[in-house]
Amino acid sequence: MSDAPRDTQLLEKVINLAKRRGFIYPSAEIYGGFRSTYDYGPLGVLMLRNVKNAWWRSMVQLRDDVVGIDAAILSPPAIWAASGHLETFTDPLVDCKNCHGRWREDKIDGQCPTCGSRDFTESRAFNLMFKTQAGPVADEGATAYLRPETAQGMFTNFANVLTTSRKKPPFGIAQVGKSFRNEITPQNFVFRTREFEQMEMEYFVAPDEDEQWYRYWIDQRLDWYLTLGIPREQLRLHEHAPEDLSHYSKGTTDLEFLFPWGFDELEGIANRGNYDLTAHSNASGTKLEYFDQVANERYTPHVIEPAAGATRAMMAFLLSAYHEDEVDGDVRSVLRLHWRLAPHQVAVLPLSKKPELETVSREVLGLLQPHFMTDYDVTQSIGKRYRRQDEVGTPYCVTVDFDTLTDRAVTLRDRDTTEQTRVAIDELAGEIWRRTSQL
Ligand code: ATP
């Protein structure tokens, strides 16, 4: 972590906006809250889904070498024994001897964040996996874990996917879904929570091609955030020094974002060698190999893994998109979200509640809904409604006014330039498509 924050109040502002406008609420609020869990509201669920869809589009839809899966969250101990998680998926835990607060030793610089004491217990390894039991009998055989990452689903299904998809290296398996970690100190809003969503892809390659694909995926992943609007100066690549790598890793690069507290991890891209497939092969007795018919040789593929957090990425997109600017002498807050990520792409706003305007407005709404997530708002003045849409990042507003009744045209307003253009109703969906496809 380093570098000065952009705006000392940015985090506060975004958390407030998220709550006030229905992006992210603290969980179980009516019962006093449940620490570090969050619920995604009407706008948040749309945006989070858009983040995941944008990832899926780039990683699966636009490629012919990556397929998807959706594996179970509940999993048997055997998976986590083989992967090494039972033994090593731990963080160093210390107790403050003065106030008894519990902390992750590597995050506190030797001083208790609550009381300032420097007197701690010896650090001990705290396993981050949530353990539970499957079925009514609580014996050892019933132990199950909530997955702490989605990646193992790709390794355990490697042979299934290989035979059913008929892919051959280089190819990837992608998955988006919930993961759970009993984090010692969840913090910074949805940056670190105990329940979160991941977007991970395991890319299987021939052993001598791993370095080239590792570099390729670092570039691809950086591009993804840039294309979706995060400025280059808010992103940084941090390559781990060889001595800091985990025992199996041949290279790891963190893709970092400039959070309000400094640069911090958004995604990790790792060259994992053949560690995972070898470990599962040995533990399960199932061969996890690829037979290259052309070269007539059998090998265990090496793996390049871009592992991102969907909820953490959503937070970065919100922070990066938040701006305050001046329009017609007023300060407005605006989320300059890429249209793919904005909860609604369009809002239809009848100038007044007169029935004849509502009728044609609903007709316009019906024309747009099959193509775009569309909001509809008749309350308050048109100026206030524009501000409300700006604040939640809606790229286009469509105003239906009295002229519409005679000219069958509407006003299309652009969030970022606030420019307004008259567009025929029949051409509206096409015009919005034309504009968005250029971004
Ligand atoms: P850290 O060192 O910050 O605990 P990590 O390096 O263990 O994280 P990975 O296991 O590489 O994280 O997970 C991949 C991605 O999943 C992270 O880059 C992050 O975006 C996301 N992620 C991991 N843990 C959490 C969490 N507790 N809350 C939200 N997102 C998370």
Side-chain angles (χ1 to χ4, degrees):
M1 291 188 228
S2 65
D3 290 37
R6 283 197 294 147
D7 169 353
T8 48
Q9 275 154 25
L10 178 64
L11 186 59
E12 244 358 75
K13 286 177 182 170
V14 168
I15 294 173
N16 285 339
L17 172 72
K19 166 94 197 288
R20 185 161 43 79
R21 297 304 310 275
F23 283 85
I24 303 175
Y25 312 120
S27 206
E29 213 181 4
I30 61 168
Y31 291 104
F34 183 50
R35 190 165 168 238
S36 143
T37 51
Y38 293 90
D39 296 341
Y40 290 73
L43 296 187
V45 69
L46 293 174
M47 181 171 171
L48 183 57
R49 189 172 287 193
N50 289 343
V51 170
K52 293 185 283 186
N53 285 347
W55 186 90
W56 192 266
R57 179 175 183 273
S58 119
M59 301 298 269
V60 181
Q61 185 183 335
L62 298 180
R63 309 185 63 98
D64 62 3
D65 58 348
V66 178
V67 293
I69 58 163
D70 189 15
I73 289 173
L74 275 180
S75 37
I79 291 181
W80 309 107
S83 69
H85 282 75
L86 277 182
E87 190 139 345
T88 60
F89 195 59
T90 58
D91 277 338
L93 173 72
V94 288
D95 292 26
C96 170
K97 285 192 179 165
N98 181 43
C99 74
H100 306 293
R102 287 191 150 177
W103 303 102
R104 194 170 138 178
E105 189 186 28
D106 57 331
K107 298 277 179 192
I108 55 168
D109 290 329
Q111 187 166 21
C112 176
T114 308
C115 71
S117 161
R118 293 189 168 273
D119 197 8
F120 290 100
T121 58
E122 281 285 295
S123 109
R124 55 202 186 279
F126 176 75
N127 195 295
L128 298 180
M129 283 197 294
F130 279 100
K131 191 176 181 178
T132 185
Q133 94 196 32
V137 185
D139 62 12
E140 253 317 287
T143 299
Y145 291 92
L146 301 189
R147 66 180 179 196
E149 60 173 38
T150 60
Q152 298 306 318
M154 279 76 107
F155 301 129
T156 54
N157 282 296
F158 172 79
N160 278 340
V161 173
L162 195 64
T163 37
T164 50
S165 71
R166 310 194 67 77
K167 296 283 174 202
K168 51 185 190 196
F171 85 102
I173 310 179
Q175 179 170 205
V176 174
K178 289 227 169 176
S179 293
F180 301 81
R181 296 182 187 179
N182 196 4
E183 299 280 0
I184 296 169
T185 39
Q187 59 189 349
N188 289 329
F189 196 38
V190 297
F191 178 81
R192 186 183 303 288
T193 49
R194 296 199 171 111
E195 173 177 351
F196 55 98
E197 283 204 76
Q198 289 190 306
M199 310 183 288
E200 298 193 293
M201 197 271 289
E202 309 302 320
Y203 199 71
F204 301 95
V205 304
D208 57 351
E209 291 180 1
D210 58 356
E211 178 62 22
Q212 104 199 33
W213 285 111
Y214 171 55
R215 299 287 153 201
Y216 168 88
W217 281 111
I218 293 171
D219 290 348
Q220 290 290 307
R221 295 305 304 145
L222 179 62
D223 261 6
W224 186 74
Y225 294 99
L226 293 172
T227 310
L228 290 173
I230 298 190
R232 182 64 183 85
E233 63 274 16
Q234 290 175 20
L235 295 166
R236 186 171 88 171
L237 293 171
H238 168 237
E239 186 152 3
H240 290 215
E243 60 272 21
D244 295 337
L245 295 173
S246 19
H247 58 287
Y248 52 78
S249 179
K250 292 176 74 180
T252 298
T253 296
D254 288 347
L255 206 162
E256 299 180 333
F257 171 72
L258 184 54
F259 285 94
W261 57 90
F263 275 103
D264 214 339
E265 179 178 330
L266 201 49
E267 164 159 358
I269 300 111
N271 178 351
R272 302 177 59 93
N274 62 6
Y275 172 81
D276 307 276
L277 291 182
T278 307
H280 283 297
S281 198
N282 291 342
S284 68
T286 303
K287 279 207 161 54
L288 302 175
E289 297 172 335
Y290 174 71
F291 179 63
D292 182 343
Q293 283 177 334
V294 180
N296 195 28
E297 65 178 19
R298 195 174 286 284
Y299 64 82
T300 304
H302 284 218
V303 170
I304 312 302
E305 174 190 80
T311 37
R312 193 178 284 187
M314 173 168 159
M315 178 174 171
F317 285 122
L318 282 173
L319 287 164
S320 176
Y322 185 89
H323 287 85
E324 287 167 4
D325 62 10
E326 213 182 288
V327 173
D328 307 330
D330 287 335
V331 175
R332 68 164 181 171
S333 59
V334 53
L335 283 184
R336 295 191 196 283
L337 287 172
H338 190 276
W339 67 270
R340 271 189 203 290
L341 304 180
H344 294 110
Q345 282 79 58
V346 198
V348 174
L349 314 173
L351 194 61
S352 94
K353 283 185 185 155
K354 293 259 159 48
E356 58 271 36
L357 281 197
E358 284 243 32
T359 308
V360 63
S361 298
R362 292 210 163 269
E363 181 199 336
V364 172
L365 180 67
L367 285 171
L368 295 175
Q369 274 172 331
H371 309 289
F372 307 103
M373 196 68 213
T374 311
D375 194 14
Y376 186 76
D377 188 5
V378 286
T379 58
Q380 298 188 312
S381 75
I382 192 71
K384 284 208 174 113
R385 279 183 275 163
Y386 282 152
R387 296 291 172 277
R388 282 175 60 77
Q389 294 296 336
D390 291 343
E391 193 182 44
V392 298
T394 311
Y396 300 104
C397 286
V398 170
T399 309
V400 177
D401 57 28
F402 288 100
D403 289 340
T404 309
L405 300 176
T406 47
D407 69 359
R408 298 269 311 156
V410 291
T411 301
L412 181 61
R413 175 183 178 273
D414 180 291
R415 174 196 70 203
D416 296 334
T417 62
T418 71
E419 219 170 78
Q420 306 192 8
T421 329
R422 201 77 186 157
V423 180
I425 288 177
D426 293 343
E427 286 160 21
L428 185 60
E431 172 62 15
I432 297 173
W433 266 128
R434 195 186 60 73
R435 292 188 186 196
T436 51
S437 64
Q438 290 169 351
L439 299 171

